[in-house]
Amino acid sequence: MARDPILLTPGPTPVPPEIREVMSRPIPHHRTPEFQAVLKEVAAGLKRVFRTEQDVLILTSSGTGAMEAAVVNLLSPGETAFVIQGGKFGERWAEICRGYGIRVVPFNSPWGRPLDLNRASEEAAKDPSIRAVFSTLCETSTGVAYDIRGLRQAIGPKPLLVVDAISGLGVDPFEMDGWGVDAAVSGSQKGLMLPPGLAFIALSPRGWEAAERSGSPRYYFDLRLAREAWKEADTPFTPGISLIVGLAESLKRIQAGGLDQVLELNRRNAEAVRQAVKGLGLELYTDPSCASNGVTSVKVPAGIDGKELLKRLRKEEGIVLAGGQGKELAGKVFRIATMGAIGPEEIRAGLAALEKVLVQMGWKAPALK
Ligand SMILES: *Cc1c(COP(=O)(O)O)cnc(C)c1O
């Protein structure tokens, strides 16, 4: 195949050439004024993308590291977490909490459907021991964007609100401060157009109070260390230097047109994918009323082997789509991302290849039967 494969996956997403170029330059030492200037620049840019006045700390790990950091810094063993579970990543919050001896009250939200805020409010009110509520912004496994502002209103001001915005940041609307979020986490390989390897976390003032008190074991992810170092434009351990150099470039790219424009482009691209998919006679998995700007889940049509479809797209067409995750969705859906640097050209190529391979596999659109 002549060209590089096109990633239409919700992480990793394609890394634009100008970002790859800056990351391939000779590596600076991290404890130098040169690199500290880069850290200060990304510190300001990250605040704008999180829409927060708080420090957004950089951790060198995949996104899940920041999820774990949120749990160990906010809660102590024996405390109670209310976890919105409407897909694989909501379940991950519950798994991390249990791993640290935190009591989990799961709130099962039907996959692919919007959050029932009235029911969430009722359920959360039943247990006064709830210290923190955990949700995803974009539940990448289904393509649902949850109503985080509504969730804060539903649970009231008391519990801490913790949001996994790993795939939603810079993709779906998100206002950390404006929506009363106490901890927000993200990662580098989704909307920020970087390779995997960096995670981000910001805490509200209440979140920091919790971090001072938490009795959970922590060392690498002790955010108090990261915050102290951050004051001096430093990190407690060797950071992912080259990725941070790339991050400065990625944030510049986002700021060039402004974050709102990026969100709007993603929204239009996702809408175009949904329309095109329906035009092909395929069915969307996710309720369009809660569909994320960043990922669209499509049902594998009857009579088509979902795994074979993705394999042929990858091998014969150089188009990489994501499959369904977990027992619930493996082989039943495939997912098309519209985040980061994925634009109309990549989407057109992806959809054309999808139609071609489906037809080769003997699929007939309902209207053509
Ligand atoms: C990708 C993703 C993660 C996991 O991130 P890793 O970088 O693989 O650790 C967690 N939550 C959501 C919503 C994601 O999309």
Side-chain angles (χ1 to χ4, degrees):
M1 199 175 314
R3 61 163 166 76
D4 292 327
I6 297 178
L7 296 182
L8 291 173
T9 47
T13 62
V15 181
E18 63 270 32
I19 298 181
R20 294 205 306 261
E21 193 276 314
V22 298
M23 290 189 302
S24 69
R25 291 181 190 168
I27 188 168
H29 192 277
H30 56 297
R31 300 218 160 92
T32 56
E34 179 198 359
F35 186 69
Q36 282 177 318
V38 177
L39 271 186
K40 283 182 188 155
E41 185 186 331
V42 299
L46 285 169
K47 284 181 176 199
R48 286 196 287 268
V49 181
F50 274 69
R51 299 216 148 127
T52 183
E53 293 298 313
Q54 304 304 317
D55 289 333
V56 182
L57 304 171
I58 299 178
L59 308 171
T60 300
S61 73
S62 84
T64 305
M67 295 174 75
E68 181 153 333
V71 169
V72 298
N73 284 278
L74 295 179
L75 295 178
S76 304
E79 288 188 322
T80 304
F82 184 78
V83 181
I84 310 295
Q85 291 186 170
K88 184 172 170 271
F89 294 106
E91 289 177 354
R92 184 167 299 177
W93 273 134
E95 286 163 13
I96 298 169
C97 286
R98 290 196 186 99
Y100 282 95
I102 289 151
R103 186 176 153 253
V104 171
V105 176
F107 179 82
N108 292 313
S109 182
W111 289 34
R113 310 281 308 164
L115 197 53
D116 182 338
L117 292 172
N118 289 330
R119 195 167 68 83
S121 167
E122 280 166 28
E123 292 297 316
K126 280 184 194 160
D127 190 338
S129 72
I130 292 168
R131 270 277 288 153
V133 173
F134 290 79
S135 181
T136 41
L137 171 59
C138 168
E139 174 50 78
T140 321
S141 61
T142 61
V144 169
Y146 287 115
D147 177 1
I148 300 299
R149 188 202 326 229
L151 178 60
R152 169 50 92 192
Q153 283 158 2
I155 61 172
K158 198 169 140 257
L160 296 166
L161 177 58
V162 185
V163 177
D164 168 357
I166 294 180
S167 64
L169 187 84
V171 179
D172 287 305
F174 180 64
E175 312 263 343
M176 176 168 169
D177 292 356
W179 296 354
V181 173
D182 293 295
V185 304
S186 196
S188 52
Q189 77 274 29
K190 316 243 168 147
L192 293 177
M193 309 169 269
L194 294 165
L198 295 181
F200 311 101
I201 183 162
L203 301 185
S204 70
R206 281 205 313 165
W208 280 112
E209 282 168 30
E212 293 298 337
R213 283 200 313 265
S214 164
S216 290
R218 50 191 158 150
Y219 182 76
Y220 188 70
F221 290 135
D222 187 339
L223 294 178
R224 293 170 300 182
L225 301 177
R227 181 159 75 155
E228 274 314 295
W230 204 241
K231 287 181 187 155
E232 312 295 326
D234 199 357
T235 54
F237 316 108
T238 314
I241 298 171
S242 301
L243 290 168
I244 293 172
V245 170
L247 174 63
E249 195 60 33
S250 139
L251 290 167
K252 245 186 246 163
R253 201 176 141 118
I254 292 171
Q255 287 309 319
L259 179 60
D260 287 327
Q261 190 189 313
V262 172
L263 303 182
E264 175 58 17
L265 285 175
N266 289 330
R267 193 193 63 73
R268 276 193 238 155
N269 289 338
E271 182 58 25
V273 167
R274 290 191 290 269
Q275 293 308 331
V277 156
K278 283 194 282 183
L280 285 175
L282 298 171
E283 234 185 297
L284 298 171
Y285 172 76
T286 303
D287 183 336
S289 76
C290 59
S292 158
N293 292 345
V295 56
T296 299
S297 299
V298 183
K299 291 185 188 168
V300 174
I304 296 291
D305 177 340
K307 289 196 174 129
E308 178 68 15
L309 171 66
L310 296 197
K311 189 170 134 196
R312 286 209 196 179
L313 277 166
R314 200 174 63 241
K315 288 195 150 172
E316 293 164 19
E317 304 296 325
I319 297 291
V320 189
L321 302 185
Q325 290 173 294
K327 275 198 294 287
E328 292 83 352
L329 294 181
K332 300 196 181 100
V333 304
F334 59 88
R335 294 170 299 146
I336 305 172
T338 45
M339 60 174 76
I342 297 168
E345 207 177 309
E346 291 78 17
I347 293 167
R348 265 196 298 275
L351 290 168
L354 174 64
E355 182 173 19
K356 179 175 161 193
V357 172
L358 277 171
V359 169
Q360 283 170 357
M361 289 175 77
W363 174 78
K364 290 190 176 52
L368 305 176
K369 266 181 193 160

